[in-house]
């Protein structure tokens, strides 16, 4: 059962949500099956890991429902499907409860459909007032205003035989702002991907929109201006434009909602990473400053959790910036925001990265030896750190090659590893072995190694380049 869709869904629930879900399925409005309640009460004890023989389907069926004499596997499977649907219903209802404007838009349509005109008008006025109160002026704000004015204009009580219908004008204006904002938001993503992957994508009307942004009608549309500037930045790669757009984002950060804040920060951060990876070291302090700004504004923690990729990246950036004390403080302070089932792996890898970056290679190896990693990706990262430590330490010549060959064999045999990851790791192994041999070679192959490194996308490119410069004649 631990590999079932039901267990995968239950892992989506936080600890405090388990209690709420229990109350949800006990409501006869949503569920009338007592067996589903009994199954959930049993399973929640194993949240979030859900491991052990106690989760075998036949075992659960026998323990919880001894009255089932035959076809236990099918019956428990049907019950799991029903409970899975209840989880889906719960998270949908919870999502609606948490999105106050979406909830009220649906409520508005309900009044409209039931011809509750007085209730509709009161709800529409209140929704408009509350939308205007919010500091946010981004895509979602324009979209919600467009929907509200559309409902008002198409309501049966709206008199259309008059001049200057305000709800019609508001519908059109907010539709324009919503469309321009969305187009520029995704357009900036496309432009960034062209820098990263050389993807060609000619977006219809993008140049015309960029020209229209200069009209006075968009003077106060900060969101539109920010993402228009981001497109200009990706096209020109001009540091002056970067400074302008960064200032625009920082000075108007409160006008974006939580998702838009992350989008804006991620886009300028991605641009900085591209520049840094191309050798523009002036962007490394910018990358660190961007992530520190994100921490101060709490944008990396969503629903009480920080994604492991964000946690890993922040530690890596701090280590690359030689801010070791800062990285150590970050690890200790923010580890509690990582999901419990992966926290041990994430924390171990962060400590390995920190110790390795400080040159404590023996300590890094000790951490890896003592670790009991669950996640395959972290096992692979630990093996790479291990190989890099053996490279750095002079007493591990044979162990280095043994570790390289063992990891190469692991990659080739691993059926769960994606082909791009497999290729990347195997290329890394081949390259680091060549680098190790080059340290002792009589003839210099530094230029050939640097050219090869530039042509191939390998993990830890910066470190490999540094080792070539330091170790190869």
């Amino acid at each position: 059962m631990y590999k079932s869709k039901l267990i995968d869904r239950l892992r989506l629930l936080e600890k405090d949500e388990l209690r709420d879900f229990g109350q949800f399925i006990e409501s006869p409005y949503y569920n009338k099956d007592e067996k589903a309640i009994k199954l959930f009460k049993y399973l929640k004890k194993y949240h979030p890991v859900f491991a052990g023989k106690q989760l075998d389907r036949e075992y659960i069926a026998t323990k919880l429902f001894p009255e089932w004499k035959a076809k236990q596997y099918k019956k428990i499977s049907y019950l799991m499907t029903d409970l899975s649907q209840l989880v889906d219903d719960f998270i949908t209802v919870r999502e609606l409860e948490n999105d106050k404007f979406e909830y009220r838009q649906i409520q508005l349509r309900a009044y409209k459909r039931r011809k509750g005109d007085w209730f509709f008008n009161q709800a529409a006025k209140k929704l408009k007032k509350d939308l205007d109160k919010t500091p946010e002026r981004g895509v979602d704000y324009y979209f919600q205003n467009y929907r509200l004015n559309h409902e008002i204009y198409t309501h049966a009580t709206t008199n259309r035989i008059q001049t200057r219908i305000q709800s019609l004008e508001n519908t059109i204006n907010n539709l324009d702002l919503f469309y321009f904002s969305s187009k520029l938001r995704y357009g900036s993503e496309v432009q960034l991907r062209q820098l990263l992957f050389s993807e060609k994508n000619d977006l219809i009307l993008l140049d015309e929109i960029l020209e229209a942004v200069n009209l006075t009608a968009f003077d106060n549309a900060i969101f539109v201006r920010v993402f228009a500037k981001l497109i200009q930045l990706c096209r020109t790669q001009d540091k002056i434009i970067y400074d302008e757009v960064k200032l625009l984002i920082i000075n108007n950060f409160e006008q974006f909602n939580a998702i838009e804040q992350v989008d804006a920060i991620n886009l300028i951060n991605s641009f900085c990473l591209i520049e840094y990876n191309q050798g523009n070291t002036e962007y490394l302090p910018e990358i660190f400053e961007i992530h520190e700004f994100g921490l101060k504004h709490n944008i990396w923690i969503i629903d009480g959790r920080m994604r492991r990729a964000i946690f890993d990246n922040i530690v890596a950036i701090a280590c690359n910036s030689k801010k070791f004390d800062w990285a150590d403080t970050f690890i200790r302070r923010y580890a509690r925001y990582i999901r419990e089932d992966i926290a041990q792996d994430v924390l171990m890898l962060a400590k390995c990265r920190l110790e390795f970056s400080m040159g404590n290679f023996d300590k890094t190896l000790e951490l890896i030896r003592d670790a009991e990693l669950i996640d395959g990706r972290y096992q692979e990262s630990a093996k790479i750190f291990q190989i890099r430590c053996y490279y750095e330490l002079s007493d591990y010549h044979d162990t280095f090659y043994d570790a390289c060959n063992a990891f190469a064999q692991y990659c080739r045999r691993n059926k769960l590893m994606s082909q791009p990851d497999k290729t990347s790791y195997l290329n890394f192994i081949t390259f680091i072995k060549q680098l190790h041999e080059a340290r002792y070679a009589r003839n210099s192959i530094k230029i050939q190694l640097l050219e090869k490194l530039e042509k191939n996308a390998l993990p830890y490119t910066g470190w490999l380049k540094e080792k070539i410069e330091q170790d190869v004649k």
Side-chain angles (χ1 to χ4, degrees):
M1 182 181 286
Y2 66 92
K3 290 184 179 179
S4 68
K5 291 179 181 178
L6 169 60
I7 296 302
D8 289 341
R9 282 177 167 88
L10 288 172
R11 284 197 182 104
L12 298 176
L13 303 181
E14 298 292 341
K15 231 177 193 178
D16 59 333
E17 288 184 312
L18 291 178
R19 181 193 66 247
D20 295 340
F21 179 62
Q23 294 173 353
F24 179 86
I25 63 174
E26 286 176 359
S27 166
Y29 182 83
Y30 294 105
N31 172 52
K32 295 180 176 64
D33 189 346
E34 292 293 329
K35 290 185 176 63
I37 299 171
K38 194 172 183 180
L39 176 60
F40 169 68
K41 286 181 176 179
Y42 177 83
L43 291 176
K44 74 176 182 179
K45 296 181 292 186
Y46 301 96
H47 181 277
V49 178
F50 293 109
K53 66 177 184 179
Q54 295 88 348
L55 293 178
D56 177 75
R57 296 189 194 204
E58 294 290 344
Y59 177 87
I60 292 174
T62 304
K63 183 176 179 63
L64 297 186
F65 312 110
E67 67 274 15
W68 289 351
K69 300 298 182 185
K71 297 183 179 179
Q72 294 174 331
Y73 188 87
K74 282 189 176 181
K75 287 184 178 181
I76 196 71
S77 296
Y78 293 149
L79 188 56
M80 287 168 63
T81 300
D82 292 342
L83 189 56
S84 293
Q85 183 58 55
L86 285 166
V87 177
D88 286 347
D89 294 341
F90 171 75
I91 61 176
T92 304
V93 170
R94 176 56 61 90
E95 197 67 23
L96 188 57
E97 289 173 347
N98 291 337
D99 191 338
K100 60 180 180 179
F101 288 128
E102 184 66 27
Y103 182 93
R104 290 166 70 182
Q105 293 278 8
I106 293 171
Q107 184 185 63
L108 204 63
R109 292 206 305 272
Y111 287 141
K112 185 178 180 181
R113 187 165 66 84
R114 288 167 172 76
K115 297 181 174 55
D117 298 343
W118 186 88
F119 297 106
F120 175 89
N121 290 330
Q122 293 301 309
K125 287 177 185 176
K126 184 71 167 60
L127 180 53
K128 182 182 184 306
K129 184 178 178 181
D130 289 344
L131 280 168
D132 290 341
K133 275 184 187 177
T134 63
E136 299 161 6
R137 293 296 181 271
V139 170
D140 193 54
Y141 170 80
Y142 300 131
F143 180 56
Q144 296 294 351
N145 264 294
Y146 156 69
R147 293 171 70 192
L148 169 61
N149 282 281
H150 166 75
E151 293 297 340
I152 294 171
Y153 177 68
T154 56
H155 194 272
T157 60
T158 298
N159 180 10
R160 301 193 189 186
I161 308 174
Q162 59 174 315
T163 58
R164 301 297 301 271
I165 303 175
Q166 192 62 53
S167 60
L168 176 59
E169 292 181 10
N170 289 343
T171 300
I172 294 170
N173 290 339
N174 281 285
L175 180 58
D176 284 343
L177 287 165
F178 167 65
Y179 173 71
F180 273 47
S181 299
S182 300
K183 187 80 172 186
L184 293 169
R185 160 67 188 86
Y186 292 109
S188 60
E189 189 82 40
V190 169
Q191 295 292 317
L192 190 68
R193 292 182 64 82
Q194 287 184 0
L195 285 179
L196 274 170
F197 309 113
S198 301
E199 287 183 354
K200 295 298 179 185
N201 194 328
D202 296 324
L203 296 179
I204 299 171
L205 298 178
L206 183 61
D207 290 331
E208 289 82 354
I209 289 173
L210 287 169
E211 187 176 342
V213 167
N214 296 318
L215 298 172
T216 55
F218 295 99
D219 284 348
N220 296 321
I222 296 296
F223 191 94
V224 171
R225 289 170 54 204
V226 163
F227 284 94
K229 210 73 167 170
L230 277 166
I231 291 174
Q232 188 182 358
L233 173 64
C234 291
R235 288 179 171 182
T236 63
Q237 294 179 266
D238 189 330
K239 183 65 165 59
I240 294 173
I241 295 176
Y242 167 79
D243 291 335
E244 289 176 1
V245 73
K246 184 179 84 168
L247 203 61
L248 261 179
I249 291 170
I250 290 172
N251 291 343
N252 299 281
F253 205 59
E254 300 305 320
Q255 292 199 27
F256 302 162
N257 68 23
I259 294 173
E260 293 161 355
Q261 287 176 345
V262 173
D263 285 346
I265 290 296
N266 278 340
L267 282 165
I268 59 168
N269 178 62
S270 297
F271 173 80
C272 289
L273 283 170
I274 292 169
E275 293 294 315
Y276 175 66
N277 289 333
Q278 290 176 349
N280 296 333
T281 54
E282 64 178 330
Y283 280 95
L284 181 58
E286 295 291 337
I287 297 167
F288 179 79
E289 183 183 326
I290 288 166
H291 281 83
E292 193 172 35
F293 177 82
L295 285 172
K296 287 178 181 176
H297 287 78
N298 211 32
I299 69 169
W300 305 127
I301 298 172
I302 300 171
D303 296 330
R305 294 294 182 200
M306 179 180 286
R307 287 173 50 225
R308 60 180 169 186
I310 296 293
F311 190 93
D312 290 343
N313 287 341
I314 292 175
V315 174
I317 291 157
C319 289
N320 289 342
S321 303
K322 310 296 183 188
K323 296 182 181 291
F324 302 128
D325 289 340
W326 188 96
D328 183 56
T329 301
F330 168 81
I331 291 169
R332 286 187 283 105
R333 182 177 297 171
Y334 288 92
R336 60 197 172 103
Y337 295 107
I338 303 298
R339 261 182 27 224
E340 292 176 9
D341 57 321
I342 60 170
Q344 183 178 325
D345 288 10
V346 175
L347 190 58
M348 193 286 295
L349 193 70
K351 289 177 179 177
C352 281
R353 191 184 299 279
L354 179 57
E355 295 294 342
F356 183 90
S357 300
M358 292 192 294
N360 301 329
F361 307 122
D362 286 319
K363 177 64 175 174
T364 307
L365 289 172
E366 184 183 327
L367 284 168
I368 294 170
R369 279 194 294 266
D370 294 342
E372 294 181 5
L373 298 171
I374 299 171
D375 191 290
R377 284 168 291 186
Y378 284 98
Q379 291 174 4
E380 292 148 19
S381 296
K383 291 176 191 295
I384 291 286
F385 269 118
Q386 196 174 41
I387 290 167
R388 291 168 71 196
C389 286
Y390 293 147
Y391 175 92
E392 295 280 8
L393 294 166
S394 57
D395 297 335
Y396 287 87
H397 182 277
D398 292 340
T399 310
F400 167 78
Y401 284 101
D402 289 343
C404 285
N405 294 332
F407 185 52
Q409 189 177 59
Y410 167 87
C411 291
R412 293 189 188 98
R413 291 179 175 178
N414 193 327
K415 295 180 180 179
L416 298 177
M417 187 183 293
S418 69
Q419 190 56 49
D421 284 348
K422 190 172 292 193
T423 302
S424 178
Y425 286 140
L426 290 172
N427 287 342
F428 175 85
I429 293 300
T430 301
F431 190 91
I432 197 172
K433 285 165 74 174
Q434 291 173 351
L435 175 58
H436 194 276
E437 292 165 2
R439 297 166 86 178
Y440 309 102
R442 292 183 178 181
N443 300 323
S444 175
I445 59 169
K446 178 184 284 188
I447 295 173
Q448 294 94 309
L449 285 174
L450 287 171
E451 287 176 351
K452 187 174 181 180
L453 185 62
E454 191 173 336
K455 290 177 183 176
N456 294 281
L458 298 176
Y460 302 105
T461 301
W463 177 78
L464 289 170
K465 186 175 182 180
E466 181 185 318
K467 295 297 108 181
I468 294 171
E469 297 290 353
Q470 286 180 4
D471 300 341
V472 182
K473 297 176 183 178

